[in-house]
Amino acid sequence: MNTASRLLLFATGLILVFGLMFLAGRALVPESTVATWTRQAEESSAAHEETMAPELHTGGSHEGAEAGGPAIGGLSLEEDGYRLGPIEAPEQAGKPGELSFRVYGPEGKPLTDFAVAHEKQLHLIAVRSDGSGFQHLHPEPDNPTGNWSVPVTWPRGGTYRVFTDFTPAGEPGRNLVLGRNTEVAGKVTPVPRPLSSRDTVDGFSVSIDGKFEAGESEPLTVTVTRGGQPETRLQPYLGAYGHLVALREGDLAYLHVHAEAGPEEHGSDEGGHSHAEPEAGPEIRFVAEPPTPGRYLLYLDFKVEDRVHTAEFVLEAK
Ligand SMILES: [Cu+2]
């Protein structure tokens, strides 16, 4: 027998032995354990792919993004060592006051360096647990203490979820959404939230259309009209013609919804150069990916005549 044949025989033997071990493993180890191993292997390979991939990572939840699923955040006050400290806020409904907090970095010190995203270092969303009383605020930082504050008035009593949406400086792509509850005294009457893809706000009629399916990344189109006429005087707000926040009903998981847009996509002049402005309405396009079936509460901020208006929708993902 020559060397090559001997090696071949050896290799065949190895394959046979490993094959038998694999079969034995299958037979002796419970299915659930095998499933865990398989999942861990898939996760680690996905994580590896992510480090290789050059694209911007845009998720609040890294786990979701690593598994290739939709990115959600806001379910925890801590992520990747970053922590949202206690919220100081008015305890009574209807009383103007100040909301303040600190964000702590992985070393436990108040974080003072934030990257600007959508024109701000930090975006704050507050909403009551039933989805009512939505507010989108921009607190001011007080450095070097790391304290953030913003005036606030709670419309009604109840439990409010406060989301801080930010990207630590020097960590491009690491967008974090940390959430924390705060209690407000006052009578609590839950507000019913029927399904609705249309809203009327400050004289504007706003509708939202598109496929909205669990696990699918699909475009959503918002159309703004006033007095039956298309509204074409939308003004840029936070770097786009609209800003959409989507929360999952039940746990208020915070979904990242991205404005699809971009001047390049709208203007295509012959010179190959495109300096056309994106259209200022009546349509605004977004891409959303609901992670699970169920209902989602959507809040669209748009700006006309220097005023920001918020339209609200409730969509069901199949
Ligand atoms: Cu904001």
Side-chain angles (χ1 to χ4, degrees):
M1 204 187 278
N2 62 25
T3 315
S5 326
R6 234 178 288 157
L7 273 175
L8 188 68
L9 193 68
F10 180 65
T12 314
L14 271 183
I15 289 165
L16 201 66
V17 167
F18 277 108
L20 283 173
M21 279 168 71
F22 180 72
L23 285 175
R26 266 277 148 106
L28 296 172
V29 178
E31 275 303 310
S32 59
T33 312
V34 174
T36 310
W37 291 344
T38 312
R39 199 170 60 242
Q40 281 167 352
E42 279 166 4
E43 274 169 11
S44 74
S45 80
H48 178 69
E49 273 166 34
E50 190 194 42
T51 53
M52 306 296 287
E55 304 107 81
L56 190 67
H57 180 104
T58 48
S61 162
H62 292 255
E63 258 172 60
E66 276 169 20
I72 58 171
L75 293 174
S76 174
L77 58 81
E78 184 273 342
E79 188 175 329
D80 291 350
Y82 292 90
R83 182 169 57 88
L84 173 60
I87 308 275
E88 301 267 350
E91 288 168 10
Q92 295 287 327
K95 265 198 182 162
E98 189 182 75
L99 183 153
S100 66
F101 59 91
R102 281 176 190 162
V103 175
Y104 296 87
E107 287 85 42
K109 295 200 186 85
L111 201 63
T112 52
D113 288 336
F114 294 80
V116 171
H118 301 291
E119 299 184 351
K120 300 284 176 184
Q121 291 189 336
L122 187 143
H123 300 263
L124 187 143
I125 301 294
V127 68
R128 202 171 74 169
S129 54
D130 61 353
S132 69
F134 175 88
Q135 299 192 52
H136 179 172
L137 306 169
H138 295 115
E140 289 296 325
D142 171 49
N143 287 337
T145 65
N147 194 60
W148 292 84
S149 62
V150 64
V152 75
T153 305
W154 303 117
R156 292 172 289 274
T159 300
Y160 283 77
R161 186 102 182 134
V162 173
F163 300 98
T164 53
D165 183 336
F166 62 90
T167 302
E171 303 224 39
R174 178 171 284 192
N175 175 230
L176 298 171
V177 180
L178 306 180
R180 192 160 183 142
N181 289 353
T182 184
E183 305 297 333
V184 181
K187 193 166 178 260
V188 178
T189 310
V191 178
R193 307 278 306 188
L195 288 180
S196 114
S197 59
R198 194 168 281 280
D199 193 15
T200 304
V201 55
D202 308 327
F204 296 92
S205 287
V206 190
S207 62
I208 189 161
D209 298 287
K211 229 167 141 190
F212 195 63
E213 271 181 37
E216 302 284 328
S217 184
E218 301 278 358
L220 288 173
T221 304
V222 169
T223 308
V224 186
T225 62
R226 181 155 55 171
Q229 298 299 312
E231 181 55 76
T232 53
R233 294 173 301 160
L234 297 182
Q235 296 168 304
Y237 175 59
L238 304 172
Y241 281 112
H243 187 271
L244 188 65
V245 168
L247 304 176
R248 180 165 61 188
E249 190 184 71
D251 66 358
L252 299 182
Y254 186 105
L255 241 74
H256 288 262
V257 183
H258 302 278
E260 197 189 50
E264 298 80 9
E265 281 171 18
H266 282 276
S268 55
D269 34 349
E270 281 137 25
H273 256 77
S274 177
H275 295 292
E277 289 295 307
E279 290 158 34
E283 293 188 347
I284 318 165
R285 304 218 293 164
F286 297 94
V287 176
E289 186 176 348
T292 53
R295 284 152 57 116
Y296 291 82
L297 315 167
L298 282 73
Y299 307 85
L300 169 82
D301 293 324
F302 62 99
K303 195 172 171 185
V304 178
E305 288 171 345
D306 298 326
R307 263 197 68 199
V308 176
H309 311 275
T310 305
E312 302 188 8
F313 313 100
V314 181
L315 298 185
E316 176 145 33
K318 300 282 178 210

